[in-house]
């Protein structure tokens, strides 16, 4: 019932906009910022943000948004981030997570990593169908967003001062959500390898982009970059 209540809380369009904005930032968001993004008054935003916290979709805390401390720095403001807990509803009840964990455990114990990755790559290719490999990072963003990875572009690590001939620093696509997070936490090498193979099949390996492992806390273990940025 708790999951149903949490998901039902998103039925309100303003509340949903606020949740989606906070979730997309990948950082703490204050009430003023969230209200401006959703186009509502701060008091209304505060009400909905606190409701989202009550049902477990957001987590709240407090900090000074001015970046200052000591006298004159002002009172700490309430901030929000997306909750780490997963929410799912199935009617009637189903338990695919346990099945996935049992299969992952059996595959790991039997040393079936290579076979699993081969199957994942074939599945990715089947999902791509007859389409050509992704032609660039913008196309990658669209494809990953459609599959729930919550992608975002950022400057490649170590490239803040570097620039390509176009005058822009190299960028990569990182993902704030891993669709296989619950199972990946228990079997990281197996599931992360499967995820990489799936994305290789989905995006293509003979195009201008490539997927590779680059785990970072709180995000998907895979990053996608322009092939020309690969110096391996």
């Amino acid at each position: 019932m708790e999951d149903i209540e949490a998901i039902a809380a998103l039925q309100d369009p303003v509340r949903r906009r606020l949740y989606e904005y906070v979730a997309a930032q990948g950082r703490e968001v204050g009430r003023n910022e969230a209200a401006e993004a959703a186009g509502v008054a701060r008091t209304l935003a505060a009400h909905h943000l606190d409701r989202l916290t009550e049902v477990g979709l957001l987590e709240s805390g407090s900090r000074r948004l001015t970046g200052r401390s000591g006298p004159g720095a002002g009172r700490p403001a309430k901030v929000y981030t997306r909750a780490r807990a997963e929410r799912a509803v199935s009617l009637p009840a189903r338990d695919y997570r346990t099945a996935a964990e049992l299969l992952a455990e059996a595959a790991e114990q039997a040393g079936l990593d290579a076979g699993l990755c081969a199957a994942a790559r074939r599945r990715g290719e089947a999902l791509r169908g007859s389409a050509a490999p992704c032609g660039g990072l913008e196309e990658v963003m669209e494809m990953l967003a459609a599959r729930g990875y919550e992608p975002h572009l950022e400057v490649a690590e170590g490239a803040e001062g570097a620039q390509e001939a176009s005058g822009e620093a190299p960028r990569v696509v990182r993902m704030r959500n891993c669709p296989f997070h619950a199972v990946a936490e228990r079997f990281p090498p197996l599931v992360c390898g499967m995820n990489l193979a799936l994305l290789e099949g989905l995006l293509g390996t003979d195009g201008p982009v490539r997927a590779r492992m680059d785990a970072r806390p709180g995000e998907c273990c895979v990053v996608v970059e322009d092939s020309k940025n690969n110096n391996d």
Side-chain angles (χ1 to χ4, degrees), residues 8-213:
L10 296 174
Q11 184 175 2
D12 183 279
V14 173
R15 198 174 294 160
R16 187 178 183 88
R17 288 204 305 273
L18 288 165
Y19 173 78
E20 290 175 344
Y21 179 78
V22 173
Q25 303 316 302
R27 56 173 173 79
E28 295 177 328
V29 175
R31 287 172 168 175
N32 287 339
E33 178 185 349
E36 183 177 352
V40 298
R42 182 183 183 279
T43 52
L44 180 60
H47 166 72
H48 285 306
L49 290 167
D50 286 341
R51 176 58 182 160
L52 290 168
T53 302
E54 289 174 7
V55 299
L57 292 174
L58 297 181
E59 295 176 355
S60 64
S62 61
R63 67 177 177 86
R64 288 187 173 89
L65 299 178
T66 60
R68 298 179 297 165
S69 60
R75 297 176 58 187
K78 201 163 187 179
V79 292
Y80 303 84
T81 56
R82 179 169 59 180
R84 294 181 60 84
E86 297 181 9
R87 301 289 179 178
V89 174
S90 177
L91 297 174
R94 297 287 188 263
D95 190 4
Y96 300 112
R97 174 173 172 176
T98 296
E101 290 178 347
L102 289 171
L103 290 169
E105 182 178 356
E108 187 174 73
Q109 291 179 354
L112 300 178
D113 304 55
L116 177 61
C117 287
R121 191 171 290 106
R122 289 194 299 271
R123 175 57 63 91
E125 292 170 350
L127 291 171
R128 177 159 53 92
S130 60
C134 278
L137 296 183
E138 285 71 21
E139 188 177 343
V140 168
M141 292 274 290
E142 292 181 8
M143 188 170 291
L144 294 178
R147 302 204 65 81
Y149 282 91
E150 298 183 5
H152 64 282
L153 279 169
E154 64 179 53
V155 175
E157 291 184 6
E160 289 80 359
Q163 290 188 333
E164 298 174 309
S166 64
E168 296 182 356
R171 299 181 301 168
V172 298
V173 175
R174 289 190 175 273
M175 294 158 263
R176 293 196 174 97
N177 182 51
C178 171
F180 317 110
H181 173 73
V183 186
E185 278 195 319
R186 289 196 57 190
F187 308 95
L190 181 77
V191 178
C192 290
M194 177 200 75
N195 187 30
L196 174 61
L198 177 70
L199 291 179
E200 286 176 339
L202 184 66
L203 305 177
T205 56
D206 53 353
V209 301
R210 71 146 188 168
R212 63 176 175 85
M213 288 286 199

